[in-house]
């Protein structure tokens, strides 16, 4: 109660001070988990921020903080941003979920948008993209392209988002190549180029000739290039500097339209907390150009899958599917519902290794 | 589980590569601390070295010039720290932390134009028939020059501190700067030289990361390596040979845990991921149990401000 009073007082004081100079500018805050120059996840969120600035010009002002650790520091940064007068704050990593909810409670007037989380409040909305659709396309290319039948996967943290990606990629690799085998390394980091490079090297040394990644830097691409005869995919960002090989395609996050829409809603006063989860269809997930290193027939097959996903004709998790332990999950023709997908904490049948709990 | 998938020879060779940046930064910091200065800005100096080296290598097309520029750039940055702490007598801990933040920001600024570029390849030394020796050839004779340089540097620092007069003076300055001053040694000058050397080593380590280990520039790419280097100096209780051991142990566990995961070993992954840190802490605990010696071995004037009039 006391803290609330102090914060409210401070916010009021700052608000009064700020009102004099920037009355008509709406302040929009962004909290990033990595540096904006990471070439991947944070880079694309920052591209969204820049697009917002171009779109609204003088009507808004954006502030951002990069490389914010997921934890107590995030709460400090968020509080700071809210105190400095931000009206809408985007928090762009799963680990900011609880800090966002905590800070939102103290600032009911400030709107928050949390990426990839599941906890909402009156003033906290969530948004995410169906990356697993993109990973299904990558899995298909991986399954067709591998000669050693060993696909390496650099995973970050054992959260549903990452597990979903592994399952989607594996299912579609397996579909076109029954002999395919996945080796997963949990890096326990979103961004550590040296560790990602070492993980890629370890996978390559153990026979992988395709590397999929769910970490944010381009270090695995560099490692694959050094090894030769290994293909990779761009993650979050196109990573086209490594095309046509080792990077043969990519999943691109396209946040700009969403950011523009939500800021417009705040300006119009129509903003409401909701949950957005869009995929290839609405264009939130894009597939980067499939390079010339991929044979034409494989490319055509991948594009067909992409088209089916975009139109909604096909769902990546369609039965019959079993869980890793052999227990049935989806019956023939049954499609996974969003709640299961959002909380996915199991591997599908055929994957080896365990998800760290 | 398939342990046969792990090739121990390749593992050792890659742990040497993984450990080299930390080893370089740590051996530099050891000299700085032996001179009685606590420079917590290693991370900042490393990342500055990483971008200076990367930029120079890309612009000139020569990795050797890149490494040189990295040493120069980071040494210059460390001299900012030196100026502040030795001449203006600011607090070393605070200034060191500020140096890290400054280095991270500066490197991001310089690096804007270099995101996504590829550096010229650093050639492996051609040691002819030596690298064809089974097992040993791959482990000992298949690296690039910087790996050997780092090993030579450890030996040189060890010999310098142990056998030379200059090394004795450096240690005297670190143990008791007032006594060293009374004997007529230029405490500030000696410390500045040590700080510049530490900066050059950290810069070289950073450039090794951006030119060889990861080969590319990404903001914040050192991702805490500088802090590990700092920890390893304490871990090594300020002894060069133990710095080598500590760095290789850390690099080894880090690479091994990734290989174990890829081989599907059923060990809790969180444990594997934390293992380099756990091992470091464990050894620290074991060594500090030997309380008298470990405590005695820290330079007595470490972190203390020196003023000639006191």
């Amino acid at each position: 109660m006391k803290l609330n009073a102090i914060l409210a007082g401070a916010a009021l004081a700052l608000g009064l001070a700020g009102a004099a100079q920037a009355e008509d500018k709406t302040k929009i805050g962004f909290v990033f988990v990595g540096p904006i120059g990471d070439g991947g996840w944070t880079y694309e969120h920052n591209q969204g921020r820049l697009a917002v600035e171009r779109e609204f010009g003088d009507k808004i002002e954006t502030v951002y903080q990069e490389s914010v650790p997921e934890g107590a520091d995030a709460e400090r940064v968020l509080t700071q941003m809210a105190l400095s007068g931000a009206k809408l704050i985007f928090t762009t990593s799963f680990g900011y979920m609880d800090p966002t909810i905590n800070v939102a409670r103290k600032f009911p007037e400030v709107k928050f948008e949390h990426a990839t989380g599941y906890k909402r409040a009156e003033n906290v909305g969530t948004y995410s993209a169906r990356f697993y659709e993109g990973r299904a396309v990558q899995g298909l290319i991986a399954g067709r392209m591998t000669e050693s039948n060993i696909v390496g996967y650099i995973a970050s943290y054992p959260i549903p988002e990452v597990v979903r990606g592994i399952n989607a990629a594996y299912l579609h690799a397996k579909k076109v190549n029954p002999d395919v085998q996945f080796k997963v390394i949990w890096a326990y980091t979103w961004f550590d180029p040296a560790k990602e490079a070492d993980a890629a090297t370890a996978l390559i040394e153990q026979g992988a000739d395709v590397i999929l990644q769910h970490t944010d830097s381009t270090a695995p691409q560099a490692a694959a290039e050094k090894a030769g005869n290994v293909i990779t995919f761009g993650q979050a960002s196109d990573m086209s500097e490594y095309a046509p090989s080792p990077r043969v395609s990519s999943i691109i996050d396209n946040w700009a339209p969403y950011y523009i829409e939500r800021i417009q809603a705040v300006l119009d006063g129509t903003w409401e907390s909701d949950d957005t989860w869009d995929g290839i269809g609405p264009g939130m997930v894009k597939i980067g150009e499939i390079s010339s290193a991929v044979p034409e027939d494989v490319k055509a097959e991948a594009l067909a899958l992409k088209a089916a996903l975009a139109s909604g004709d096909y769902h990546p998790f369609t039965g019959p599917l079993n869980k890793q332990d052999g227990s049935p999950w989806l019956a023939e023709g049954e499609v996974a519902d969003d709640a299961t997908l959002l909380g996915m904490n199991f591997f599908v049948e055929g994957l080896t290794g365990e998800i760290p709990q | 589980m398939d342990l046969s998938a792990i090739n121990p020879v390749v593992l050792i060779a890659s742990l040497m590569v993984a450990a080299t940046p930390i080893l370089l930064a740590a051996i530099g910091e050891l000299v700085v601390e032996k001179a009685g200065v606590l420079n917590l800005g290693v991370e900042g100096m490393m990342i500055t070295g990483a971008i200076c080296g990367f930029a120079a290598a890309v612009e000139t097309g020569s990795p050797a010039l890149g490494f040189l520029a990295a040493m120069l750039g980071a040494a210059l940055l460390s001299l900012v720290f030196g100026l502040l702490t030795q001449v203006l007598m600011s607090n070393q801990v605070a200034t060191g932390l500020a140096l890290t933040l400054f280095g991270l920001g500066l490197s991001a600024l310089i690096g804007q134009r270099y995101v996504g570029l590829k550096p010229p390849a650093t050639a492996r030394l051609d040691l002819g028939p030596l690298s064809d020796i089974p097992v040993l050839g791959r482990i000992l004779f298949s690296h690039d020059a910087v790996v050997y340089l780092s090993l030579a540097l450890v030996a040189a620092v060890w010999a310098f501190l142990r056998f030379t007069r200059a090394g004795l003076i450096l240690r005297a300055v670190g143990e008791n700067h007032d006594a060293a001053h009374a004997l007529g040694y230029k405490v500030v000058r000696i410390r500045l030289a040590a700080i510049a050397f530490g900066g050059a080593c950290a810069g070289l380590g950073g450039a090794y990361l951006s030119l060889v280990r990861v080969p590319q520039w990404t903001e914040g790419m050192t991702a805490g390596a500088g802090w590990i280097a700092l920890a390893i100096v304490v871990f090594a209780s300020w002894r060069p040979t133990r710095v080598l051991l500590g760095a290789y142990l850390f690099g080894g566990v880090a690479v091994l845990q990734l290989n174990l995961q890829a081989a599907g070993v059923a060990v809790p992954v969180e444990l594997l991921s934390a293992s380099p840190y756990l091992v470091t802490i464990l050894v620290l605990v074991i060594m500090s149990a030997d309380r008298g010696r470990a405590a005695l071995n820290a330079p007595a004037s470490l972190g203390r401000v020196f003023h000639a009039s006191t």
Side-chain angles (χ1 to χ4, degrees), chain A residues 151-176:
Chain A
V151 172
Y153 202 112
I154 306 170
S156 49
Y157 295 94
I159 58 173
E161 162 70 36
V162 178
V163 174
R164 209 156 53 221
I166 297 171
N167 282 335
Y170 175 75
L171 284 175
H172 294 82
K174 181 95 177 166
K175 203 168 268 182
V176 294

Side-chain angles (χ1 to χ4, degrees), chain A residues 116 146 186 195 235 237 242 343:
Chain A
T116 70
T146 179
W186 298 93
K195 195 170 187 184
Q235 147 72 5
S237 181
Y242 289 95

Side-chain angles (χ1 to χ4, degrees), chain A residues 113-131:
Chain A
E113 289 266 354
H114 177 236
T116 70
Y118 54 81
K119 289 186 185 169
R120 276 173 292 283
E122 190 89 321
N123 60 335
V124 182
T126 53
Y127 64 105
S128 184
R130 295 179 188 267
F131 303 115

Side-chain angles (χ1 to χ4, degrees), chain A residues 162-200:
Chain A
V162 178
V163 174
R164 209 156 53 221
I166 297 171
N167 282 335
Y170 175 75
L171 284 175
H172 294 82
K174 181 95 177 166
K175 203 168 268 182
V176 294
N177 180 354
D179 297 327
V180 81
Q181 181 196 353
F182 270 40
K183 289 193 176 197
V184 181
I185 289 186
W186 298 93
Y188 279 87
T189 177
W190 287 114
F191 178 78
D192 182 344
K195 195 170 187 184
E196 292 169 50
D198 287 346

Side-chain angles (χ1 to χ4, degrees), chain A residues 18-312:
Chain A
Q21 48 189 5
E23 188 147 15
D24 46 357
K25 272 194 184 179
T26 304
K27 204 180 223 179
I28 312 289
F30 290 85
V31 182
F32 298 139
V33 70
I36 56 174
D38 70 353
W41 175 259
T42 295
Y43 175 81
E44 286 300 325
H45 278 285
N46 191 52
Q47 291 300 308
R49 183 183 71 84
L50 295 173
V52 160
E53 285 198 328
R54 281 194 298 275
E55 174 79 15
F56 291 102
D58 281 347
K59 274 191 281 182
I60 61 156
E61 173 194 357
T62 64
V63 289
Y64 69 91
Q65 176 119 25
E66 49 189 336
S67 301
V68 177
E70 300 176 324
D73 264 1
E75 274 199 55
R76 188 178 53 75
V77 168
L78 279 166
T79 307
Q80 187 70 35
M81 254 184 203
L83 282 175
S84 73
K87 291 283 171 291
L88 174 64
I89 299 176
F90 293 97
T91 55
T92 64
S93 186
F94 182 78
Y96 298 146
M97 182 160 65
D98 291 326
T100 305
I101 295 288
N102 292 342
V103 176
R105 214 171 284 143
K106 293 182 208 149
F107 297 94
E109 296 306 308
V110 180
K111 316 274 189 274
F112 293 84
E113 289 266 354
H114 177 236
T116 70
Y118 54 81
K119 289 186 185 169
R120 276 173 292 283
E122 190 89 321
N123 60 335
V124 182
T126 53
Y127 64 105
S128 184
R130 295 179 188 267
F131 303 115
Y132 65 87
E133 295 185 350
R135 288 187 200 282
V137 179
Q138 294 188 346
L140 182 147
I141 299 175
R144 281 271 185 243
M145 296 290 284
T146 179
E147 277 163 22
S148 62
N149 289 332
I150 298 174
V151 172
Y153 202 112
I154 306 170
S156 49
Y157 295 94
I159 58 173
E161 162 70 36
V162 178
V163 174
R164 209 156 53 221
I166 297 171
N167 282 335
Y170 175 75
L171 284 175
H172 294 82
K174 181 95 177 166
K175 203 168 268 182
V176 294
N177 180 354
D179 297 327
V180 81
Q181 181 196 353
F182 270 40
K183 289 193 176 197
V184 181
I185 289 186
W186 298 93
Y188 279 87
T189 177
W190 287 114
F191 178 78
D192 182 344
K195 195 170 187 184
E196 292 169 50
D198 287 346
T201 308
L203 287 165
I204 292 165
E205 274 162 13
Q206 295 193 24
D209 60 355
V210 178
I211 304 285
L212 293 160
Q213 73 184 93
H214 203 141
T215 50
D216 297 344
S217 87
T218 48
Q221 278 70 27
E225 187 170 55
K226 205 162 32 167
N229 289 329
V230 176
I231 62 165
T232 64
F233 298 84
Q235 147 72 5
S237 181
D238 198 27
M239 304 187 178
S240 59
E241 61 266 30
Y242 289 95
S245 188
R247 169 242 170 257
V248 298
S249 182
S250 59
I251 314 179
I252 307 170
D253 309 351
N254 181 26
W255 304 110
Y258 181 76
Y259 285 167
I260 290 170
E261 182 195 320
R262 298 305 273 175
I263 291 169
Q264 188 64 53
V266 166
L267 292 178
D268 297 344
T270 57
W271 189 94
E272 266 178 23
S273 164
D274 68 358
D275 177 34
T276 304
W277 203 20
D278 284 341
I280 291 180
M284 203 179 233
V285 176
K286 291 205 274 191
I287 302 291
E289 200 209 340
I290 298 170
S291 79
S292 55
V294 178
E296 278 305 319
D297 56 329
V298 178
K299 184 175 174 178
E301 202 176 354
L303 289 176
L305 176 62
K306 180 190 161 191
L309 288 164
S311 65

Side-chain angles (χ1 to χ4, degrees), chain A residues 35-39 66 158 183-188 191-195 197-199 201-203 205-206 217-223 225-226 241-243 354 356-357, chain B residues 2 5-7 10-11 14 18 108 115-118 138 209 212-223 254-255 257-264 266 269-270 273:
Chain A
I36 56 174
D38 70 353
E66 49 189 336
K183 289 193 176 197
V184 181
I185 289 186
W186 298 93
Y188 279 87
F191 178 78
D192 182 344
K195 195 170 187 184
D198 287 346
T201 308
L203 287 165
E205 274 162 13
Q206 295 193 24
S217 87
T218 48
Q221 278 70 27
E225 187 170 55
K226 205 162 32 167
E241 61 266 30
Y242 289 95
E354 277 170 42
Q357 296 297 338
Chain B
D2 182 18
I6 302 176
N7 180 345
V10 177
L11 189 74
S14 54
V115 174
L117 294 183
K118 285 173 208 157
R138 180 80 172 87
L209 207 58
V212 180
R213 189 158 164 228
V214 180
Q216 65 184 14
W217 164 250
T218 329
E219 267 179 48
M221 65 184 297
T222 45
V255 172
Q257 71 99 351
L258 292 170
N259 275 281
L260 284 176
Q261 280 200 49
V269 181
E270 299 92 330
S273 275

